[in-house]
Amino acid sequence: MTRVLVVEDDPQLVRALVINLQARHYGVDAAPDGATALRLAAARQPDVVMLDLGLPDMDGVEVIKGLRGWTRVPILVLSARQASDEKVAALDAGADDYVTKPFSMDELLARLRAAVRRTAETPLVTGTTLVETADFSVDLLARKVHRGGRDVRLTPTEWHLLEILITHPGRLITQKHLLQEVWGVTQGNKTNYLRVYMAQLRRKLETDPSHPRYLITEPGMGYRFEG
C-alpha cells in the first residue's frame, strides 16, 4: 500500500483528502503542523508527502528543507500562494510538484499518481549511459545524441542543459537551478538565456518544436524532461 503523509492545518481539507485517498486504497497519515510532519515522516516513512506551505508553527519551505536533509520522498506542495517566486522557493528547496488551491481532486490525484510512478521507475544512476525516447537517444558516456539514425550536433551549453534535464526525468528543474548550473548565475533577468537555448534544443530534438513532447516548459517556474 502506498502511504501518503498529508501536512495541512485545515481540518475540512484534511478530511476530504483522507476520504478520497483511502477510497483509492492509499494509507494516510495527517499532520496539522510542521513539527508533527517531520516527526511522522521519520516514524512512518511515507511514499509521498502532500504539504501545505502555510502552517501554524513554521513555513512549509522549512519542512521541505528538513525532509530533504535525509529523504528523497516526493513532496507535492498544496498552497493558496500563487506568486511564482514562492512556487520557485518551494521547488528550489526540494519540492517535486506544486498544486495551487483551490484544485480539483482529479488533478491532485493525477499528480499524486505521477509522483508515485516516478519513484517506482528505476532512477537514473551512475552506470546508466543511454536514455532512449521514441524520437531520439542520448548517450551520456559518449556525450552524443542520435535522431533518425543521424548524430545531432549540440553546443556545449545545449548539451549541459539537456544532460541536467534527462538525468532527472519527470522532475521540474527551476530556472534558477539551470541558470546556476549552466551559466553560474542566479539572476532572474537572465531567463532569456534559457528560452533561447531551450528553443534551439527543441528545434533539434522535437518533432513539433512548437508543441514539445519531451522538453516541457512550466511557465515562470522552469522545465522538465518527460521521457
Side-chain angles (χ1 to χ4, degrees), residues 91-157:
L91 292 161
D92 277 337
D96 295 88
D97 206 347
Y98 196 110
V99 181
T100 303
K101 297 177 182 177
F103 50 80
S104 75
M105 195 60 67
D106 285 344
E107 179 192 1
L108 179 64
L109 291 167
R111 302 283 189 102
L112 173 61
R113 289 192 298 272
V116 172
R117 190 165 59 246
R118 285 198 293 271
T119 55
E121 293 167 353
T122 304
L124 201 62
V125 296
T126 302
T128 300
T129 61
L130 188 64
V131 178
E132 295 187 274
T133 73
D135 295 309
F136 60 88
S137 63
V138 181
D139 187 328
L140 292 166
L141 193 61
R143 299 174 70 88
K144 288 186 177 181
V145 180
H146 302 278
R147 181 179 178 214
R150 297 182 178 181
D151 285 350
V152 178
R153 295 180 64 85
L154 299 184
T155 68
T157 300

Side-chain angles (χ1 to χ4, degrees), residues 5-221:
L5 173 59
V6 175
V7 187
E8 169 64 63
D9 63 339
D10 179 343
Q12 287 187 313
L13 180 54
V14 171
R15 189 158 52 247
L17 289 170
V18 169
I19 290 170
N20 277 275
L21 290 168
Q22 289 182 339
R24 290 161 177 83
H25 309 293
Y26 291 96
V28 188
D29 294 301
D33 55 54
T36 306
L38 292 170
R39 189 166 60 250
L40 273 177
R44 303 287 284 173
Q45 301 285 314
D47 298 294
V48 181
V49 175
M50 288 185 177
L51 172 69
D52 181 26
L53 293 183
L55 299 172
D57 60 338
M58 67 176 77
D59 192 87
V61 171
E62 295 306 311
V63 178
I64 296 170
K65 291 176 180 177
L67 290 170
R68 283 294 173 254
W70 61 274
T71 179
R72 301 309 304 165
V73 64
I75 300 173
L76 180 58
V77 169
L78 316 177
S79 181
R81 301 177 187 178
Q82 299 188 24
S84 61
D85 59 339
E86 298 203 64
K87 295 179 181 180
V88 168
L91 292 161
D92 277 337
D96 295 88
D97 206 347
Y98 196 110
V99 181
T100 303
K101 297 177 182 177
F103 50 80
S104 75
M105 195 60 67
D106 285 344
E107 179 192 1
L108 179 64
L109 291 167
R111 302 283 189 102
L112 173 61
R113 289 192 298 272
V116 172
R117 190 165 59 246
R118 285 198 293 271
T119 55
E121 293 167 353
T122 304
L124 201 62
V125 296
T126 302
T128 300
T129 61
L130 188 64
V131 178
E132 295 187 274
T133 73
D135 295 309
F136 60 88
S137 63
V138 181
D139 187 328
L140 292 166
L141 193 61
R143 299 174 70 88
K144 288 186 177 181
V145 180
H146 302 278
R147 181 179 178 214
R150 297 182 178 181
D151 285 350
V152 178
R153 295 180 64 85
L154 299 184
T155 68
T157 300
E158 290 168 351
W159 171 262
H160 198 174
L161 269 177
L162 181 64
E163 184 179 37
I164 293 170
L165 291 167
I166 65 172
T167 53
H168 299 83
R171 178 79 184 268
L172 175 57
I173 309 297
T174 62
Q175 294 175 342
K176 176 182 175 182
H177 182 81
L178 288 169
L179 285 168
Q180 191 165 15
E181 288 293 314
V182 179
W183 287 279
V185 298
T186 56
Q187 298 97 319
N189 61 0
K190 302 295 185 183
T191 54
N192 58 306
Y193 292 0
L194 280 172
R195 285 195 295 273
V196 169
Y197 279 93
M198 289 301 296
Q200 291 173 188
L201 275 174
R202 287 176 176 140
R203 281 196 295 271
K204 293 179 178 182
L205 300 178
E206 299 276 4
T207 301
D208 182 358
S210 61
H211 298 89
R213 174 181 173 185
Y214 304 103
L215 302 170
I216 310 301
T217 300
E218 293 283 354
M221 296 165 70

